[in-house]
Amino acid sequence: SAENDDAALVAACDEWRSVFAATASLRQMVPPDDARVWGRVQRAQEEARDFIQLLGTRLLERLDRFREDLTARCECALRCGLTTTHRLCCGEDFARECADVRALRAAVEETRGADVLMSTDALPRLRASVLSIDKLSARLAHHLLLLCEGLTGGAALTRNGSGVDEESRALVAVHAFLGASLTRPDAFVIFEGLAEHGWTDARFA
């Protein structure tokens, strides 16, 4: 199934990132003139080129599907109320999907996959897709923040901060989703997009 294929791809990327990191660590332990070790590493790197090219193709397919999904979620956040938006845009499945896409992107970025893909048409398409997804992620955050902006003061909360009715619980959950999204190391791209939508430090405060 597509879900199993996606899980297998993410697992393979995690393994590849581990192998790449271990190879980098070898440089601190193995002399550079050790032909036996570095010869094997060189052969492995050449064989890995096929994997990287396959990864680029699969990543493009995955990003295309994710971009379509993200576009739909942005439309939902624009047109629906907070409770519906929370159900469709901020669930665990979507959070897992976002994490998987970040892992796939990292597998290319951290292992110099761009160098391998430079000679194919995959790299410019990947860059365009990533740029589109970053803009859509900022757009989704913008719509979620707008939904929260008018409701925060009127939310009915319990003493421990959970909501006492469906809308208030949705508000708390959306706040949590935004908090997780905007505190990741790569969240600067979302903040750049939010700035274009008029979100300043003063407005966040």
Side-chain angles (χ1 to χ4, degrees), residues 172-195:
V172 172
V174 171
H175 274 170
F177 177 84
L178 284 168
S181 300
L182 298 177
T183 54
R184 293 196 315 269
D186 59 347
F188 67 92
V189 295
I190 297 180
F191 279 108
E192 288 176 354
L194 286 174

Side-chain angles (χ1 to χ4, degrees), residues 13 17 55 59 63 66 98-111 126 129-131 133-134 137 184 186 189:
C13 287
R17 291 167 69 188
L55 172 61
L59 180 56
L63 290 180
F66 182 67
C98 292
D100 286 350
V101 169
R102 288 197 300 272
L104 296 176
R105 288 174 58 172
V108 172
E109 295 166 359
E110 295 176 7
T111 62
L126 276 174
S129 188
V130 166
L131 179 61
I133 286 171
D134 287 342
S137 297
R184 293 196 315 269
D186 59 347
V189 295

Side-chain angles (χ1 to χ4, degrees), residues 139-157:
R139 182 180 163 198
L140 177 60
H142 166 63
H143 292 320
L144 293 176
L145 285 166
L146 285 177
L147 284 170
C148 294
E149 193 175 40
L151 295 173
T152 302
L157 306 177

Side-chain angles (χ1 to χ4, degrees), residues 16-98:
W16 171 239
R17 291 167 69 188
S18 298
V19 169
F20 191 87
T23 302
S25 299
L26 278 176
R27 294 186 177 90
Q28 302 176 10
M29 299 180 287
V30 179
D33 58 352
D34 190 326
R36 183 180 64 88
V37 172
W38 293 115
R40 293 177 63 183
V41 169
Q42 179 64 32
R43 288 191 295 274
Q45 289 176 336
E46 291 172 356
E47 293 173 358
R49 293 179 66 88
D50 291 338
F51 172 75
I52 292 296
Q53 290 176 348
L54 174 62
L55 172 61
T57 300
R58 292 292 305 279
L59 180 56
L60 269 173
E61 296 170 356
R62 188 68 182 82
L63 290 180
D64 284 344
R65 282 191 283 127
F66 182 67
R67 185 177 63 248
E68 292 174 359
D69 185 33
L70 194 54
T71 299
R73 294 177 192 275
C74 286
E75 290 300 316
C76 169
L78 173 64
R79 303 178 188 280
C80 299
L82 182 66
T83 302
T84 301
T85 299
H86 160 244
R87 290 176 178 171
L88 297 178
C89 300
C90 304
E92 291 183 5
D93 289 345
F94 181 54
R96 191 179 308 111
E97 188 178 9
C98 292

